[in-house]
Amino acid sequence: MNILLYILQNVEEQEKLKTDFKESLQKVLRSEEKQKHFSKIYFVSNTCNTKHDVSVIEEIRNEISHHGLNKFCLDRDCPPKWLLFQQVLGKLEDNNVPISTTTRLSKIAEHVDIGIPPEKELKQCLQYFHDNGTLIYFEEENLKDYVILDPKWFVNAFRCLVSDKTEPTMDDSDDWKTLTETGELTDKLISDQFKKEPKSKFLRTNHIY
């Protein structure tokens, strides 16, 4: 479930902004799998405090609460073998291994000292630790093969990509055009941004265990 919140600043052009935003979003996500993850779009103005805006904010609160209650319950008992598995993952993270494959983690989980069966229970275990923020795991095509063991490393990687200090150059003008027109970050743009943070070593493939 993803709720998209768009802040409207110019009161006089709100309706036009709403229409333009929806059309642009539909254009960008037209052929994208991620479009199905948006459940609703909310428009809120930060230049006035009308009854409508107050009701929209209350509606957002209710929507979040509704989905929160239906999500995986984090208070349920965690099997001891899951905690043991988490300790192993923690040691990998301590040894500067921020990302691993589900195939590799499956072999670790199956070890006789842990005993987590592959497939269903392993996915439940990974989802549990994803929900409480220990790691990042998405059971979606093109994502389910990898597990982020160090969420902070992942956040820092995104910081390189989400920045207002980045200026386009002649070498990547076509890539910037693609970004501005479709919202797609090309591999070259991503690599160029990561190269600006050499100490973080985001481009090192040996980070994957």
Coordinates of all heavy atoms in Angstrom, one line a residue, residues 40-111:
K40 N -4.2 5.5 -3.4 CA -5.0 6.7 -3.5 C -4.0 7.9 -3.5 O -2.9 7.9 -3.0 CB -5.9 6.8 -2.3 CG -7.0 7.9 -2.4 CD -8.1 7.7 -1.4 CE -9.3 8.7 -1.6 NZ -10.3 8.5 -0.6
I41 N -4.5 9.0 -4.1 CA -3.7 10.3 -4.2 C -4.5 11.3 -3.4 O -5.7 11.5 -3.6 CB -3.5 10.7 -5.6 CG1 -2.8 9.7 -6.5 CG2 -2.8 12.1 -5.7 CD1 -2.7 10.1 -7.9
Y42 N -3.8 12.0 -2.5 CA -4.3 13.1 -1.7 C -3.7 14.4 -2.0 O -2.5 14.5 -2.2 CB -4.1 12.8 -0.2 CG -4.9 11.6 0.3 CD1 -4.3 10.3 0.4 CD2 -6.2 11.7 0.7 CE1 -5.0 9.2 0.9 CE2 -6.9 10.7 1.2 CZ -6.3 9.4 1.3 OH -7.1 8.3 1.7
F43 N -4.5 15.4 -2.1 CA -4.0 16.8 -2.4 C -4.2 17.6 -1.2 O -5.4 17.8 -0.7 CB -4.7 17.4 -3.6 CG -4.4 16.6 -4.9 CD1 -5.2 15.6 -5.4 CD2 -3.3 17.0 -5.7 CE1 -4.9 14.9 -6.5 CE2 -3.0 16.3 -6.8 CZ -3.8 15.3 -7.3
V44 N -3.2 18.3 -0.7 CA -3.3 19.1 0.5 C -2.6 20.4 0.2 O -1.5 20.5 -0.4 CB -2.6 18.5 1.7 CG1 -2.7 19.4 2.9 CG2 -3.3 17.1 2.0
S45 N -3.2 21.5 0.6 CA -2.6 22.9 0.4 C -1.8 23.3 1.7 O -2.3 23.0 2.8 CB -3.7 23.9 0.1 OG -3.1 25.2 0.1
N46 N -0.7 23.8 1.5 CA 0.1 24.3 2.7 C 0.1 25.9 2.8 O 0.8 26.5 3.5 CB 1.5 23.9 2.6 CG 2.3 24.4 1.4 OD1 1.7 25.0 0.6 ND2 3.6 24.2 1.4
T47 N -0.9 26.5 2.0 CA -1.0 27.9 2.0 C -2.3 28.4 2.7 O -2.5 29.6 2.9 CB -1.0 28.5 0.6 OG1 -2.0 27.9 -0.2 CG2 0.4 28.2 -0.1
C48 N -3.2 27.4 3.0 CA -4.4 27.8 3.7 C -4.8 26.7 4.6 O -4.3 25.5 4.5 CB -5.5 28.1 2.7 SG -5.9 26.8 1.6
N49 N -5.7 27.0 5.5 CA -6.2 26.0 6.5 C -7.7 25.9 6.5 O -8.4 26.3 7.4 CB -5.7 26.3 7.9 CG -6.0 25.3 8.9 OD1 -6.2 24.1 8.6 ND2 -6.0 25.6 10.2
T50 N -8.2 25.3 5.4 CA -9.6 25.2 5.2 C -10.2 23.9 5.8 O -9.4 23.0 6.1 CB -10.0 25.2 3.7 OG1 -9.4 24.0 3.1 CG2 -9.4 26.4 3.0
K51 N -11.5 23.9 5.9 CA -12.1 22.7 6.5 C -11.8 21.5 5.6 O -11.7 20.3 6.0 CB -13.6 22.9 6.6 CG -14.0 23.8 7.7 CD -15.6 23.9 7.8 CE -15.9 24.9 8.9 NZ -17.4 25.0 9.0
H52 N -11.7 21.7 4.3 CA -11.4 20.7 3.3 C -10.1 20.0 3.6 O -9.9 18.8 3.6 CB -11.5 21.2 1.9 CG -11.0 20.2 0.9 ND1 -11.7 19.1 0.5 CD2 -9.8 20.2 0.2 CE1 -11.0 18.4 -0.4 NE2 -9.8 19.0 -0.6
D53 N -9.1 20.9 3.8 CA -7.7 20.4 4.1 C -7.7 19.6 5.4 O -7.0 18.6 5.5 CB -6.7 21.6 4.1 CG -6.5 22.2 2.8 OD1 -6.4 21.5 1.8 OD2 -6.5 23.5 2.7
V54 N -8.4 20.1 6.4 CA -8.4 19.4 7.7 C -9.1 18.0 7.5 O -8.6 17.0 8.0 CB -9.2 20.2 8.7 CG1 -9.4 19.4 10.0 CG2 -8.5 21.5 9.0
S55 N -10.1 18.0 6.7 CA -10.8 16.7 6.5 C -9.9 15.7 5.7 O -9.9 14.5 5.9 CB -12.1 16.9 5.8 OG -11.9 17.4 4.5
V56 N -9.1 16.3 4.7 CA -8.2 15.4 4.0 C -7.2 14.8 4.9 O -6.8 13.6 4.8 CB -7.6 16.2 2.8 CG1 -6.5 15.4 2.2 CG2 -8.6 16.6 1.8
I57 N -6.6 15.6 5.7 CA -5.6 15.1 6.7 C -6.1 14.1 7.6 O -5.5 13.0 7.8 CB -5.0 16.3 7.5 CG1 -4.2 17.3 6.6 CG2 -4.1 15.8 8.6 CD1 -3.7 18.5 7.3
E58 N -7.4 14.3 8.0 CA -8.0 13.3 8.9 C -8.3 12.0 8.1 O -8.1 10.9 8.6 CB -9.4 13.8 9.4 CG -10.1 12.9 10.4 CD -9.2 12.6 11.6 OE1 -8.5 13.5 12.0 OE2 -9.4 11.5 12.2
E59 N -8.6 12.1 6.8 CA -8.8 10.9 5.9 C -7.5 10.2 5.7 O -7.5 8.9 5.7 CB -9.4 11.4 4.6 CG -9.8 10.2 3.7 CD -10.4 10.7 2.4 OE1 -10.7 11.9 2.3 OE2 -10.6 9.9 1.5
I60 N -6.4 10.9 5.6 CA -5.1 10.3 5.5 C -4.8 9.5 6.7 O -4.3 8.4 6.7 CB -4.0 11.3 5.2 CG1 -4.2 12.0 3.8 CG2 -2.6 10.7 5.2 CD1 -3.3 13.2 3.5
R61 N -5.0 10.1 7.9 CA -4.8 9.4 9.2 C -5.5 8.1 9.2 O -5.0 7.1 9.6 CB -5.2 10.3 10.3 CG -4.2 11.5 10.6 CD -4.5 12.0 12.0 NE -3.7 13.2 12.2 CZ -4.3 14.5 12.2 NH1 -5.6 14.6 12.0 NH2 -3.6 15.5 12.5
N62 N -6.8 8.2 8.9 CA -7.7 7.0 8.9 C -7.2 5.9 8.0 O -7.2 4.7 8.3 CB -9.1 7.4 8.6 CG -9.7 8.2 9.7 OD1 -9.3 8.2 10.8 ND2 -10.7 9.0 9.3
E63 N -6.7 6.3 6.8 CA -6.2 5.4 5.8 C -5.0 4.7 6.3 O -4.9 3.4 6.1 CB -5.9 6.1 4.5 CG -5.5 5.3 3.3 CD -6.6 4.6 2.6 OE1 -7.8 4.9 2.9 OE2 -6.4 3.8 1.7
I64 N -4.1 5.4 6.8 CA -2.8 4.8 7.4 C -3.1 3.9 8.5 O -2.6 2.8 8.6 CB -1.9 6.0 7.8 CG1 -1.4 6.8 6.6 CG2 -0.7 5.3 8.5 CD1 -0.5 8.0 7.0
S65 N -4.0 4.3 9.4 CA -4.4 3.5 10.5 C -5.1 2.2 10.1 O -4.8 1.1 10.6 CB -5.4 4.2 11.5 OG -4.8 5.4 12.0
H66 N -5.9 2.3 9.1 CA -6.6 1.1 8.5 C -5.6 0.1 8.0 O -5.7 -1.1 8.3 CB -7.6 1.5 7.4 CG -8.2 0.4 6.7 ND1 -9.1 -0.5 7.2 CD2 -7.9 -0.1 5.4 CE1 -9.4 -1.4 6.3 NE2 -8.7 -1.2 5.2
H67 N -4.7 0.6 7.2 CA -3.7 -0.4 6.6 C -2.7 -0.9 7.7 O -2.2 -2.0 7.6 CB -2.9 0.3 5.5 CG -3.8 0.5 4.2 ND1 -4.0 -0.6 3.3 CD2 -4.4 1.5 3.7 CE1 -4.7 -0.1 2.4 NE2 -5.0 1.1 2.6
G68 N -2.4 0.0 8.6 CA -1.5 -0.4 9.7 C -2.1 -1.5 10.5 O -1.3 -2.5 10.9
L69 N -3.4 -1.5 10.8 CA -4.0 -2.6 11.6 C -4.0 -3.9 10.8 O -4.0 -5.0 11.4 CB -5.4 -2.2 12.0 CG -5.5 -1.0 13.0 CD1 -7.0 -0.6 13.2 CD2 -4.9 -1.5 14.3
N70 N -4.0 -3.8 9.5 CA -4.1 -5.0 8.7 C -2.8 -5.6 8.3 O -2.7 -6.6 7.7 CB -4.9 -4.7 7.4 CG -6.4 -4.5 7.7 OD1 -6.9 -5.1 8.6 ND2 -7.0 -3.6 7.0
K71 N -1.7 -4.8 8.7 CA -0.4 -5.3 8.3 C 0.1 -6.4 9.3 O -0.5 -6.7 10.3 CB 0.7 -4.2 8.4 CG 0.8 -3.4 7.1 CD 1.9 -2.5 7.1 CE 3.2 -3.2 7.1 NZ 3.5 -4.0 5.9
F72 N 1.2 -7.0 8.9 CA 1.8 -8.0 9.7 C 2.0 -7.6 11.2 O 2.5 -6.5 11.4 CB 3.1 -8.4 9.1 CG 3.8 -9.6 9.6 CD1 3.5 -10.8 9.1 CD2 4.7 -9.5 10.7 CE1 4.1 -12.0 9.6 CE2 5.3 -10.6 11.2 CZ 5.0 -11.8 10.7
C73 N 1.6 -8.4 12.1 CA 1.7 -8.0 13.5 C 3.1 -8.2 14.0 O 3.6 -9.3 14.1 CB 0.7 -8.8 14.3 SG 0.7 -8.4 16.1
L74 N 3.7 -7.1 14.5 CA 5.1 -7.2 14.9 C 5.2 -7.7 16.4 O 6.3 -8.0 16.9 CB 5.8 -5.8 14.8 CG 5.9 -5.2 13.4 CD1 6.5 -3.9 13.5 CD2 6.7 -6.2 12.5
D75 N 4.0 -7.7 17.0 CA 4.1 -8.1 18.4 C 4.0 -9.6 18.6 O 4.0 -10.1 19.8 CB 2.9 -7.4 19.2 CG 3.1 -5.9 19.3 OD1 4.3 -5.5 19.3 OD2 2.1 -5.2 19.3
R76 N 3.8 -10.3 17.6 CA 3.7 -11.8 17.7 C 5.0 -12.4 18.1 O 6.1 -11.8 17.9 CB 3.2 -12.4 16.4 CG 4.2 -12.5 15.3 CD 3.7 -13.2 14.1 NE 4.8 -13.6 13.2 CZ 4.6 -14.3 12.1 NH1 3.4 -14.7 11.8 NH2 5.6 -14.5 11.3
D77 N 4.9 -13.6 18.7 CA 6.1 -14.2 19.2 C 7.1 -14.5 18.0 O 6.7 -15.0 16.9 CB 5.8 -15.5 19.9 CG 5.0 -15.3 21.2 OD1 5.2 -14.2 21.7 OD2 4.3 -16.2 21.6
C78 N 8.4 -14.3 18.2 CA 9.4 -14.6 17.2 C 10.0 -15.9 17.6 O 10.6 -16.0 18.7 CB 10.4 -13.5 17.2 SG 11.7 -13.7 16.0
P79 N 10.0 -16.9 16.7 CA 10.6 -18.2 17.0 C 12.1 -18.0 17.3 O 12.8 -17.2 16.7 CB 10.4 -19.0 15.7 CG 9.2 -18.3 15.1 CD 9.3 -16.9 15.4
P80 N 12.6 -18.8 18.3 CA 14.1 -18.7 18.7 C 15.0 -18.9 17.5 O 16.0 -18.2 17.4 CB 14.2 -19.8 19.7 CG 12.9 -20.0 20.3 CD 11.9 -19.7 19.2
K81 N 14.6 -19.8 16.6 CA 15.5 -20.0 15.4 C 15.6 -18.8 14.5 O 16.6 -18.6 13.8 CB 15.1 -21.2 14.6 CG 13.6 -21.2 14.1 CD 13.3 -22.5 13.4 CE 11.8 -22.6 13.0 NZ 11.5 -23.9 12.4
W82 N 14.5 -18.0 14.5 CA 14.6 -16.7 13.7 C 15.6 -15.7 14.4 O 16.3 -15.0 13.7 CB 13.2 -16.1 13.7 CG 12.2 -16.8 12.8 CD1 12.3 -18.1 12.3 CD2 11.0 -16.3 12.3 NE1 11.2 -18.4 11.5 CE2 10.4 -17.3 11.5 CE3 10.3 -15.1 12.4 CZ2 9.1 -17.2 10.9 CZ3 9.0 -14.9 11.8 CH2 8.5 -16.0 11.0
L83 N 15.5 -15.7 15.7 CA 16.5 -14.8 16.4 C 17.9 -15.2 16.2 O 18.8 -14.4 16.0 CB 16.2 -14.8 17.9 CG 14.8 -14.2 18.3 CD1 14.6 -14.4 19.8 CD2 14.7 -12.7 17.9
L84 N 18.1 -16.5 16.1 CA 19.5 -17.1 15.8 C 19.9 -16.7 14.4 O 21.1 -16.3 14.2 CB 19.5 -18.6 16.0 CG 20.8 -19.3 15.8 CD1 21.9 -18.7 16.8 CD2 20.7 -20.8 16.0
F85 N 19.0 -16.8 13.5 CA 19.3 -16.4 12.1 C 19.6 -14.9 12.0 O 20.5 -14.5 11.3 CB 18.0 -16.7 11.3 CG 18.2 -16.4 9.8 CD1 19.2 -17.0 9.1 CD2 17.3 -15.6 9.2 CE1 19.3 -16.7 7.7 CE2 17.4 -15.3 7.8 CZ 18.4 -15.8 7.1
Q86 N 18.9 -14.1 12.8 CA 19.1 -12.7 12.8 C 20.5 -12.4 13.4 O 21.2 -11.4 12.9 CB 18.1 -12.0 13.7 CG 18.3 -10.4 13.8 CD 17.4 -9.8 14.8 OE1 17.0 -10.4 15.7 NE2 17.1 -8.5 14.6
Q87 N 21.0 -13.1 14.3 CA 22.3 -12.9 14.9 C 23.4 -13.2 13.8 O 24.4 -12.5 13.7 CB 22.6 -13.8 16.1 CG 21.8 -13.5 17.3 CD 22.0 -14.4 18.4 OE1 22.8 -15.4 18.3 NE2 21.2 -14.3 19.5
V88 N 23.2 -14.2 13.0 CA 24.1 -14.5 11.9 C 24.1 -13.4 10.9 O 25.2 -12.9 10.4 CB 23.7 -15.8 11.2 CG1 24.6 -16.1 10.0 CG2 23.8 -17.0 12.1
L89 N 22.9 -12.8 10.5 CA 22.8 -11.7 9.6 C 23.5 -10.5 10.2 O 24.2 -9.7 9.4 CB 21.4 -11.4 9.3 CG 20.5 -12.5 8.7 CD1 19.1 -12.0 8.3 CD2 21.2 -13.1 7.4
G90 N 23.4 -10.3 11.5 CA 24.1 -9.2 12.1 C 25.6 -9.3 12.0 O 26.3 -8.3 11.8
K91 N 26.1 -10.5 12.1 CA 27.6 -10.7 12.0 C 28.0 -10.4 10.5 O 29.1 -9.8 10.3 CB 27.9 -12.1 12.3 CG 27.8 -12.4 13.8 CD 28.2 -13.8 14.1 CE 28.1 -14.1 15.6 NZ 28.5 -15.5 16.0
L92 N 27.2 -10.7 9.6 CA 27.5 -10.4 8.2 C 27.6 -8.9 8.0 O 28.5 -8.3 7.4 CB 26.5 -11.0 7.2 CG 26.5 -12.5 7.0 CD1 25.3 -12.9 6.1 CD2 27.8 -13.0 6.4
E93 N 26.6 -8.2 8.6 CA 26.6 -6.7 8.5 C 27.8 -6.1 9.2 O 28.4 -5.2 8.7 CB 25.3 -6.2 9.1 CG 25.1 -4.7 9.1 CD 23.9 -4.2 9.8 OE1 23.0 -5.0 10.1 OE2 23.9 -3.0 10.1
D94 N 28.2 -6.7 10.3 CA 29.3 -6.2 11.1 C 30.6 -6.4 10.2 O 31.6 -5.6 10.5 CB 29.5 -6.9 12.4 CG 28.4 -6.6 13.4 OD1 27.7 -5.5 13.2 OD2 28.1 -7.3 14.3
N95 N 30.6 -7.3 9.3 CA 31.8 -7.6 8.5 C 31.7 -6.9 7.1 O 32.2 -7.3 6.1 CB 32.0 -9.1 8.3 CG 32.6 -9.8 9.5 OD1 33.8 -9.7 9.7 ND2 31.7 -10.4 10.3
N96 N 30.9 -5.8 7.1 CA 30.8 -4.9 5.9 C 30.1 -5.7 4.8 O 30.6 -5.5 3.6 CB 32.1 -4.3 5.5 CG 32.7 -3.4 6.6 OD1 31.9 -2.6 7.2 ND2 34.0 -3.6 6.9
V97 N 29.1 -6.5 5.0 CA 28.4 -7.1 4.0 C 27.0 -6.5 4.0 O 26.1 -7.0 4.8 CB 28.3 -8.7 4.2 CG1 27.5 -9.3 3.1 CG2 29.7 -9.2 4.2
P98 N 26.7 -5.5 3.3 CA 25.4 -4.8 3.4 C 24.3 -5.5 2.6 O 23.1 -5.2 2.8 CB 25.7 -3.4 2.8 CG 26.7 -3.7 1.8 CD 27.6 -4.8 2.3
I99 N 24.6 -6.4 1.7 CA 23.6 -7.0 0.8 C 23.9 -8.5 0.6 O 25.1 -8.9 0.5 CB 23.4 -6.2 -0.5 CG1 22.3 -6.8 -1.4 CG2 24.7 -6.2 -1.3 CD1 22.0 -6.0 -2.6
S100 N 22.9 -9.3 0.5 CA 23.1 -10.8 0.2 C 22.0 -11.3 -0.7 O 21.0 -10.6 -0.9 CB 23.1 -11.6 1.5 OG 23.4 -12.9 1.3
T101 N 22.2 -12.5 -1.2 CA 21.2 -13.1 -2.0 C 20.3 -14.0 -1.2 O 20.7 -14.6 -0.2 CB 21.8 -13.9 -3.2 OG1 22.5 -15.0 -2.6 CG2 22.7 -13.0 -4.0
T102 N 19.0 -14.2 -1.6 CA 18.1 -15.1 -0.9 C 18.6 -16.5 -1.0 O 18.4 -17.3 -0.1 CB 16.7 -15.0 -1.4 OG1 16.7 -15.1 -2.8 CG2 16.1 -13.6 -1.0
T103 N 19.3 -16.8 -2.1 CA 19.9 -18.2 -2.2 C 20.9 -18.5 -1.2 O 20.9 -19.5 -0.5 CB 20.5 -18.3 -3.6 OG1 19.5 -18.1 -4.6 CG2 21.1 -19.7 -3.8
R104 N 21.8 -17.5 -1.0 CA 22.8 -17.7 0.0 C 22.3 -17.7 1.4 O 22.6 -18.6 2.3 CB 23.9 -16.5 -0.1 CG 25.0 -16.6 0.9 CD 25.8 -17.9 0.7 NE 26.9 -18.0 1.7 CZ 27.7 -19.0 1.9 NH1 27.5 -20.1 1.1 NH2 28.7 -19.0 2.8
L105 N 21.3 -16.8 1.7 CA 20.7 -16.8 3.0 C 19.9 -18.1 3.3 O 19.8 -18.5 4.4 CB 19.8 -15.6 3.2 CG 20.6 -14.2 3.1 CD1 19.6 -13.1 3.4 CD2 21.7 -14.2 4.1
S106 N 19.3 -18.6 2.2 CA 18.6 -19.9 2.4 C 19.5 -21.0 2.9 O 19.0 -21.8 3.7 CB 17.9 -20.2 1.1 OG 17.2 -21.5 1.2
K107 N 20.7 -21.1 2.4 CA 21.6 -22.1 2.8 C 22.0 -21.9 4.3 O 22.2 -22.9 5.0 CB 22.9 -22.1 1.9 CG 22.6 -22.5 0.5 CD 23.9 -22.4 -0.4 CE 23.6 -22.8 -1.8 NZ 24.8 -22.7 -2.7
I108 N 22.2 -20.6 4.7 CA 22.5 -20.4 6.1 C 21.3 -20.8 7.0 O 21.5 -21.4 8.0 CB 22.8 -18.9 6.3 CG1 24.1 -18.5 5.5 CG2 23.0 -18.5 7.7 CD1 24.4 -17.0 5.5
A109 N 20.1 -20.4 6.5 CA 18.9 -20.7 7.3 C 18.7 -22.2 7.5 O 18.1 -22.6 8.5 CB 17.7 -20.0 6.7
E110 N 19.0 -22.9 6.5 CA 18.8 -24.4 6.5 C 19.8 -25.1 7.4 O 19.6 -26.3 7.7 CB 18.9 -25.0 5.1 CG 17.7 -24.7 4.2 CD 17.8 -25.4 2.9 OE1 18.5 -24.9 2.0 OE2 17.2 -26.5 2.7
H111 N 20.9 -24.4 7.8 CA 21.9 -25.1 8.6 C 21.3 -25.8 9.8 O 20.3 -25.3 10.4 CB 23.0 -24.1 9.1 CG 24.2 -24.7 9.7 ND1 24.2 -25.1 11.0 CD2 25.4 -25.0 9.1 CE1 25.4 -25.6 11.2 NE2 26.1 -25.5 10.1

